[in-house]
Amino acid sequence: MRALVTGGAGFIGSHLCERLLKDGHEVICLDNFFTGNKRNIAHLLDDRRFELIRHDVTEPILLEVDRIFNLACPASPIHYQYNPVKTTKTSVMGAINMLGLAKRVRARILQASTSEVYGDPQVHPQPESYWGNVNTIGIRSCYDEGKRVAETLMMDYHRQNKVDIRIIRIFNTYGPNMAENDGRVVSNFILQALKGEDITVYGKGEQTRSFCFVSDLIEGILKMMECPGFIGPVNLGNPNETTIVDFAKKIIALTGSSSRIIYNPLPADDPKQRQPDITLAKEKLGWEPKVQVDEGLKKTIEYFSSVLSAG
Ligand code: NAD
Ligand code: UDP
């Protein structure tokens, strides 16, 4: 099969491209390199089944493919808030362009949605049936609402044009190839710990997140793409919930760092708690995460150590 991965040079996209090649598929990686990095896919360039296209999903494109994994969108708050209008355009126009392509070439399309569609959730843990508590006018809205509209477009192209769709809602995922400047908690804390800098916990650190290692997520994405007759949305994440301050302590312990924890202001609209209910993924896909957080974090720490030592 020939697969298109938009956002293929990013963190999750690069792991997906690598895995699809390993499984024997042809891969077209499309990226505008806003937050992606050629380093993430450099090792794939010699494979004759791999093609790289510099393109922006807000512009239409015609490609002959069987599967479209639509991952293009900056994912970290500092990057999606850098040019919020562009972020909404990427989600909305990107979904329209990729759905138009899927319709034209009869490809199956999977949309990378997010736990952010639940906003600051009042139901805990979050099942797919929960409609969310999202601020339409805040600094996270460009990302959250863009992703919500992308889900709406997926469903309407499905109902109106019979496009074969899949929707996944990804919860916080981490691992090698995360950008070192993306400001997300995993990369920030590990880099701060490795450099012996203060660990910047926002607010009191009582907010919670549940972290999934990237190899588990990729397994879930592939299972969902090939699952017959189930379009989602489905949550993909690790239910292992932790407070951010406990997470900081864990990173200090695993790195053996002398860093101390400092407390900075909490950004606006920062969700207070987040944990995926993965009952549906277990039932429909036979999927659940396997990698324990200590094991995943050790691999991620090794990755960032090598990035730091390479300068
Ligand atoms: P990332 O920033 O590393 O990757 C996003 C990729 O999309 C980058 O390579 C970037 O250059 C590319 N991109 C951005 N705008 C583009 C555009 N207009 N045209 C073409 N390419 C564009 O982020 P990631 O963590 O790998 O996230 C991948 C996808 O998964 C995103 O859609 C994100 O919203 C979703 N997601 C990720 C997480 C997570 O925890 N990592 C959680 C929920 C959802
Ligand atoms: N966070 C933090 N210090 C940091 C970066 C993030 O305390 O240096 C907190 C942030 O406020 C949030 C959580 O960690 O509560 C996860 O943040 P991230 O940006 O990784 O993801 P998201 O908020 O989108 O889940």
Side-chain angles (χ1 to χ4, degrees):
M1 256 179 325
R2 187 180 296 152
L4 169 64
V5 181
T6 77
F11 159 49
I12 297 171
S14 58
H15 288 276
L16 184 59
C17 289
E18 188 176 288
R19 173 65 190 272
L20 287 165
L21 286 170
K22 212 172 265 173
D23 289 350
H25 303 296
E26 285 180 41
V27 175
I28 301 176
C29 167
L30 181 157
D31 209 293
N32 72 348
F33 293 103
F34 174 47
T35 52
N37 194 323
K38 283 193 189 140
R39 187 182 64 204
N40 291 342
I41 42 148
H43 62 297
L44 308 177
L45 290 170
D46 286 339
D47 191 321
R48 61 185 173 74
R49 288 170 300 130
F50 182 76
E51 274 177 79
L52 175 62
I53 300 177
R54 179 185 281 266
H55 181 81
D56 195 305
V57 287
T58 59
E59 302 291 337
I61 190 165
L62 181 59
L63 296 162
E64 290 295 331
V65 291
D66 309 294
R67 295 284 185 267
I68 301 169
F69 296 86
N70 191 29
L71 272 59
C73 185
S76 86
I78 55 165
H79 284 144
Y80 70 65
Q81 287 163 18
Y82 172 75
N83 184 345
V85 173
K86 178 67 195 259
T87 300
T88 304
K89 278 187 184 171
T90 294
S91 281
V92 176
M93 292 165 69
I96 291 172
N97 288 327
M98 290 306 121
L99 280 158
L101 175 63
K103 180 182 162 193
R104 187 157 168 186
V105 302
R106 294 200 170 82
R108 184 178 292 172
I109 177 168
L110 175 142
Q111 172 64 25
S113 188
T114 167
S115 52
E116 296 281 336
V117 300
Y118 303 120
D120 191 4
Q122 288 165 336
V123 170
H124 193 74
Q126 294 79 54
E128 292 82 353
S129 54
Y130 177 50
W131 289 356
N133 176 37
V134 181
N135 180 0
T136 60
I137 56 172
I139 56 170
R140 293 176 88 101
S141 309
C142 60
Y143 183 75
D144 302 8
E145 294 292 357
K147 290 285 187 180
R148 285 170 69 98
V149 174
E151 287 198 10
T152 306
L153 285 162
M154 292 284 286
M155 290 306 298
D156 285 334
Y157 268 79
H158 177 65
R159 284 187 286 250
Q160 199 175 326
N161 302 111
K162 309 274 177 289
V163 173
D164 190 6
I165 62 156
R166 300 287 185 274
I167 301 172
I168 56 166
R169 292 182 178 154
I170 305 172
F171 282 64
N172 296 68
T173 298
Y174 70 98
N177 295 3
M178 291 185 92
E180 56 275 27
N181 65 346
D182 84 0
R184 282 186 272 191
V185 69
V186 177
S187 42
N188 267 12
F189 284 5
I190 293 179
L191 285 165
Q192 288 162 346
L194 289 173
K195 292 180 188 166
E197 295 170 357
D198 292 342
I199 308 260
T200 54
V201 167
Y202 299 160
K204 292 182 185 153
E206 288 166 355
Q207 69 274 34
T208 69
R209 293 293 185 274
S210 310
F211 295 102
C212 181
F213 190 62
V214 65
S215 61
D216 281 331
L217 177 74
I218 298 295
E219 199 62 41
I221 292 179
L222 294 174
K223 284 199 163 177
M224 183 57 180
M225 183 57 117
E226 297 312 324
C227 182
F230 174 54
I231 62 171
V234 68
N235 290 337
L236 293 180
N238 191 325
N240 200 335
E241 185 180 3
T242 170
T243 64
I244 293 302
V245 72
D246 283 347
F247 191 65
K249 289 176 189 160
K250 183 180 271 299
I251 302 274
I252 290 173
L254 287 172
T255 49
S257 172
S258 55
S259 291
R260 61 190 187 112
I261 293 173
I262 59 160
Y263 294 87
N264 285 351
L266 187 67
D269 292 343
D270 201 282
K272 285 183 268 312
Q273 52 180 2
R274 183 181 293 155
Q275 187 201 127
D277 179 335
I278 59 165
T279 310
L280 195 63
K282 281 185 189 164
E283 181 193 316
K284 297 280 188 187
L285 309 176
W287 175 87
E288 65 183 312
K290 295 199 168 62
V291 181
Q292 297 300 317
V293 77
D294 281 26
E295 185 191 342
L297 283 175
K298 276 181 196 153
K299 287 185 180 153
T300 313
I301 290 164
E302 270 168 37
Y303 169 77
F304 281 115
S305 301
S306 67
V307 168
L308 283 181
S309 52

